[in-house]
Each structure stands twice: as structure tokens, then as C-alpha cells.
Amino acid sequence: MQYVTLGKTGLNVSRLGFGGIPIQKTDAATTRTLIESMVEKGINYIDTARGYTVSESFLGEALEGYRDKFVLATKSMAVTKEAMAADIETSLHNFRTDYIDLYQIHNPSAENFEKIIAPGGALEALLEAKAAGKIGHIGFTTHTTPLFEKALACDWVETIMFPYNLVETQGEDLMRQCTEKNIGFIVMKPLAGGAIDDPTLALRFICANPDVTVVIPGMYDVKEIEMNMAAALDNSPLTDDELAKIEVIRKNLGSNFCRRCNYCQPCSAGIGISALFILEGYYDRYGLQDWAQARYDAAPVKASACIDCGVCEPRCPYNLPIRDMLKRVAGKFEN
Ligand code: SF4
Ligand code: SF4
């Protein structure tokens, strides 16, 4: 395994980490098997979230006796100080530990970001938990480049997690700034939410970028861990054949794949366009139908609220047929 320093946290982590979303599809016993396999192979970075239902607690049970072998990262969508303090306690309880290495602010909206950093906001709870030794470091996750830029300017941000893969390269300039500022850069969505069906090529592409600190593909069986390890550890340059395959994938996904750049916003009806497309990806490609449906049900404005004004479509750099795509989303989640 190749180990790297996770930016200014100073943590020594395996470049291939473990993404905890798929744990929701499995059980505590299988999670234990995965943990044992990671110990054997030297993978020492685990990322999950308060929002991934049973993921924290399955991992906590599976980590009994192995806690010291792992750097443990989780995240919360809490906005207020009180809610974040409660979530940190819940995470500690679920993980069966008294210390979490990295606690991240989980993909806030632009409006919530301002509330989080304001007096009484969630950041205060994170700073207090850090001072009390309950968490080691504070990180930030986002899907949008404007918030990525804002996070880069915050001195309390030690890591940033953002989508990066062979069809979502919009963060590359900001990733470079992470390197310059010694902020650990953690790749989420290495397979573009399951849209890329060649995981080896996807990881080879990501690991070829020196601005990537850690990549955390979701993994839920040992074979997947082995396959991803082989790809992540292969440091040879991308071949002409691989580069040609990348171009084919980009071309194929180009016409119907939302990159979450949010240039289409604001929507006249208040729809969080890219957020609904992300949920559709979880529904179709990750087999997390119930989870995606619950989140869709909680969305304040549904796809069916589209008034067909069309102002979003010329703003989309990928010329996506947003209105037709929203009709498809409404048909899936609202019938
Ligand atoms: S066409 Fe629909 S999704 Fe696009 S801006 Fe108008 S209301 Fe929003
Ligand atoms: S629909 Fe287009 S503009 Fe909107 S987030 Fe997706 S890719 Fe970006």
C-alpha cells in the first residue's frame, strides 16, 4: 500500500481509502470481513457519514479490537452548534470510540454554510470538540466549486472532499490550490456516482493526479477491495489505449450526465436540480432505492414543480435536456 500525509492534519493514510456508503446495503458481519481484509491489505482510511443510516454503527461494531489500525472520518449535515455537538456524540457512540480523527461538514448549501460559520453555528461545536480531544481535525465536503473556493480560504479547514473523476474535472484548479495550501484533498464520486462502469480505469485516472491525496470508492466486498487496490497501486502512466477509452466514456456520458456544477441555478421554481439528479444516480446505479426515496421525499421542492420556463438549459455547459431529465426523475420518485 502507498501511504501519504493527509495535508495539514499530518495523518498518515493509505492513498486508497474506504467509502462507507455501501455499508448500508450489507450487515455487521460482512462489515467485519471487510475490516479484516483492509487490515490485512494495509488500507487504513475509513470515511462515512451520520447520514448513511447504519454505516457508522456497523463500522463501530466491526472495528472492535481494530480501532487503532484506522484513521476514522465521518461527517454531519448539522447547521447549528447544538445539532453538531449532538451528532458528534452520536458518531462517537456509534463508532464505539472516544476519538474520531476527522469530522467533516457535510455538503452544506451556500445559505447553510454562512449559518455554520456564524456565531452559534456548527463550526463552534467542531472547534470545541477538537479542543476537548473528541475529534482530531476538521474537514469540509461539497459538490460545488463556489463552496470549494470558500473552504480554501478558511484557516480551520484541514481537508476538502469534492467529486473528481474522468468526467468531472471541474475541480482541478482548486485541487492544485489544496496542494499549495497543504489541505488534504479527498476524492469522492470516483465512479461519477456509478455512471462509469470501469472502476480500474477510473481509479487509474484519479491516482495519476498528484493533487489527489486520498480516494474513497465505496466498497462492499473483498473482491472489490482487491480490484481497487491493484488499480490504485499501479503507478504506470495511462496508456494510449486507456486514454482512448477515457475519451469514449466522456463522449458517451456527455449528453446525459449531470456534473453537479450548478451553473444552471437559480431555478425559477426553486428546484435543487443537481441534487435531484444525484438522488436518481443513487436510486439507479447504487441500488439504494429506499435511501434515495427518503431523501427525495425530504427535498423541499420536487422535480414535478418545474414550470418549463427553460431558463436553466442555456446555462448548462453540457447542454443537458434538464426539463426532460426532471420529468424522468419525477416519474421515478413521485409515482
Ligand atoms: S425549466 Fe424547470 S428546472 Fe429549469 S429553471 Fe425553469 S422551472 Fe427550473
Ligand atoms: S444540469 Fe448542467 S448546469 Fe446544472 S448542475 Fe448539472 S451539469 Fe451543471
Side-chain angles (χ1 to χ4, degrees):
M1 180 48 68
Q2 182 189 352
Y3 295 92
V4 287
T5 303
L6 185 59
K8 59 176 92 164
T9 71
L11 293 164
N12 190 39
V13 296
S14 51
R15 200 157 188 232
L16 178 68
F18 177 83
I21 286 186
I23 289 290
Q24 297 172 91
K25 288 193 288 187
T26 173
D27 52 36
T30 307
T31 311
R32 178 76 177 187
T33 307
L34 293 170
I35 292 288
E36 286 167 350
S37 173
M38 286 191 274
V39 170
E40 185 195 312
K41 293 171 173 59
I43 296 173
N44 76 344
Y45 187 81
I46 293 177
D47 178 89
T48 186
R50 286 272 41 254
Y52 302 161
T53 62
V54 294
S55 181
E56 281 185 345
S57 52
F58 281 1
L59 284 165
E61 187 177 338
L63 282 165
E64 286 281 338
Y66 289 126
R67 171 66 188 92
D68 62 341
K69 306 271 186 218
F70 289 94
V71 169
L72 211 46
T74 191
K75 43 187 138 24
S76 159
M77 300 181 99
V79 175
T80 65
K81 178 179 181 180
E82 193 183 12
M84 181 60 86
D87 268 1
I88 292 168
E89 293 302 325
T90 303
S91 296
L92 288 165
H93 173 78
N94 287 344
F95 282 137
R96 305 184 186 191
T97 185
D98 58 5
Y99 179 77
I100 293 166
D101 299 273
L102 177 66
Y103 215 96
Q104 301 154 106
I105 293 169
H106 191 171
N107 192 30
S109 64
E111 188 189 347
N112 281 344
F113 178 79
E114 299 304 330
K115 291 179 185 166
I116 285 166
I117 61 173
L123 179 60
E124 282 185 1
L126 289 166
L127 292 169
E128 284 182 13
K130 188 177 173 184
K134 293 180 178 180
I135 65 171
H137 306 277
I138 300 172
F140 185 77
T141 82
T142 180
H143 289 160
T144 75
T145 48
L147 281 179
F148 192 156
E149 278 187 89
K150 280 198 172 181
L152 277 167
C154 297
D155 59 4
W156 47 269
V157 170
E158 296 172 84
T159 65
I160 294 178
M161 185 191 293
F162 187 77
Y164 179 61
N165 56 63
L166 55 89
V167 290
E168 291 181 282
T169 55
Q170 68 273 18
E172 279 181 343
D173 290 346
L174 299 173
M175 290 161 61
R176 175 115 296 262
Q177 290 184 46
C178 280
T179 303
E180 287 162 6
K181 290 172 180 271
N182 195 25
I183 292 172
F185 181 77
I186 304 161
V187 172
M188 66 158 123
K189 308 281 184 276
L191 304 182
I196 301 167
D197 59 8
D198 186 339
T200 298
L201 182 60
L203 287 179
R204 291 258 298 136
F205 172 84
I206 289 164
C207 292
N209 187 331
D211 295 324
V212 169
T213 318
V214 184
V215 56
I216 49 163
M219 301 185 272
Y220 68 103
D221 69 33
V222 172
K223 269 193 194 142
E224 254 185 336
I225 293 178
E226 286 167 354
M227 189 175 65
N228 288 340
M229 266 191 78
L233 292 179
D234 181 354
N235 289 324
S236 61
L238 290 162
T239 64
D240 288 345
D241 186 40
E242 286 175 315
L243 291 170
K245 281 185 188 159
I246 286 171
E247 283 316 306
V248 170
I249 292 171
R250 284 177 171 159
K251 202 167 160 227
N252 288 344
L253 287 177
S255 58
N256 61 9
F257 175 67
C258 171
R259 274 84 166 169
R260 318 175 187 96
C261 63
N262 286 335
Y263 291 133
C264 52
Q265 292 290 354
C267 160
S268 311
I271 300 169
I273 296 170
S274 64
L276 300 190
F277 293 153
I278 289 169
L279 290 179
E280 187 187 28
Y282 282 122
Y283 189 101
D284 287 342
R285 299 190 286 262
Y286 276 136
L288 291 169
Q289 282 89 350
D290 293 345
W291 188 78
Q293 183 71 55
R295 267 147 192 79
Y296 188 85
D297 292 344
V301 187
K302 310 285 190 276
S304 58
C306 174
I307 55 171
D308 222 21
C309 69
V311 301
C312 53
E313 290 182 4
R315 296 180 192 146
C316 176
Y318 306 100
N319 300 316
L320 298 187
I322 296 173
R323 288 174 286 183
D324 287 348
M325 290 167 71
L326 285 175
K327 286 189 185 96
R328 188 180 69 207
V329 170
K332 194 161 291 162
F333 287 106
E334 296 181 44
N335 284 335

